[in-house]
Short mmCIF file of all heavy atoms in Angstrom, two decimals:
data_model
loop_
_atom_site.label_atom_id
_atom_site.label_comp_id
_atom_site.label_asym_id
_atom_site.label_seq_id
_atom_site.Cartn_x
_atom_site.Cartn_y
_atom_site.Cartn_z
N ASP O 91 11.48 15.02 -6.00
CA ASP O 91 11.87 13.68 -5.45
C ASP O 91 10.85 13.48 -4.24
O ASP O 91 10.63 14.35 -3.42
CB ASP O 91 13.31 13.46 -5.02
CG ASP O 91 14.24 13.57 -6.19
OD1 ASP O 91 13.77 13.21 -7.32
OD2 ASP O 91 15.43 13.90 -6.02
N PHE O 92 10.36 12.34 -4.23
CA PHE O 92 9.48 12.01 -2.92
C PHE O 92 10.32 11.69 -1.70
O PHE O 92 11.40 11.17 -1.74
CB PHE O 92 8.81 10.66 -3.31
CG PHE O 92 7.99 10.11 -2.11
CD1 PHE O 92 6.75 10.74 -1.81
CD2 PHE O 92 8.55 8.99 -1.49
CE1 PHE O 92 6.02 10.09 -0.67
CE2 PHE O 92 7.87 8.51 -0.37
CZ PHE O 92 6.61 9.04 0.10
N GLU O 93 9.89 12.39 -0.72
CA GLU O 93 10.56 12.24 0.64
C GLU O 93 9.66 11.58 1.58
O GLU O 93 8.69 12.22 1.97
CB GLU O 93 10.97 13.66 1.03
CG GLU O 93 12.12 14.30 0.25
CD GLU O 93 12.54 15.64 0.69
OE1 GLU O 93 11.86 16.14 1.77
OE2 GLU O 93 13.48 16.21 0.17
N ALA O 94 10.01 10.36 1.86
CA ALA O 94 9.07 9.59 2.84
C ALA O 94 8.99 10.21 4.13
O ALA O 94 7.85 10.25 4.80
CB ALA O 94 9.66 8.17 3.04
N ILE O 95 9.99 10.86 4.64
CA ILE O 95 9.88 11.47 5.90
C ILE O 95 8.85 12.71 6.01
O ILE O 95 8.35 12.89 7.06
CB ILE O 95 11.31 12.22 6.34
CG1 ILE O 95 11.37 12.47 7.84
CG2 ILE O 95 11.58 13.32 5.36
CD1 ILE O 95 11.38 11.37 8.68
N ASN O 96 8.45 13.20 4.94
CA ASN O 96 7.38 14.33 4.89
C ASN O 96 6.04 13.76 4.45
O ASN O 96 5.10 14.51 4.48
CB ASN O 96 7.82 15.41 4.03
CG ASN O 96 9.12 16.11 4.50
OD1 ASN O 96 9.25 16.23 5.54
ND2 ASN O 96 9.92 16.49 3.48
N CYS O 97 5.92 12.45 4.16
CA CYS O 97 4.76 11.90 3.62
C CYS O 97 3.70 11.78 4.85
O CYS O 97 3.98 11.30 5.82
CB CYS O 97 4.91 10.64 3.02
SG CYS O 97 3.38 9.81 2.32
N GLU O 124 11.05 5.12 8.19
CA GLU O 124 11.37 6.00 6.93
C GLU O 124 10.14 7.11 6.74
O GLU O 124 10.41 8.19 6.32
CB GLU O 124 11.41 5.30 5.64
CG GLU O 124 12.60 4.33 5.73
CD GLU O 124 12.87 3.78 4.22
OE1 GLU O 124 12.22 4.38 3.30
OE2 GLU O 124 13.74 2.90 4.04
#
Side-chain angles (χ1 to χ4, degrees):
D91 294 332
F92 170 77
E93 295 183 352
I95 192 70
N96 296 322
C97 183
E124 294 192 14

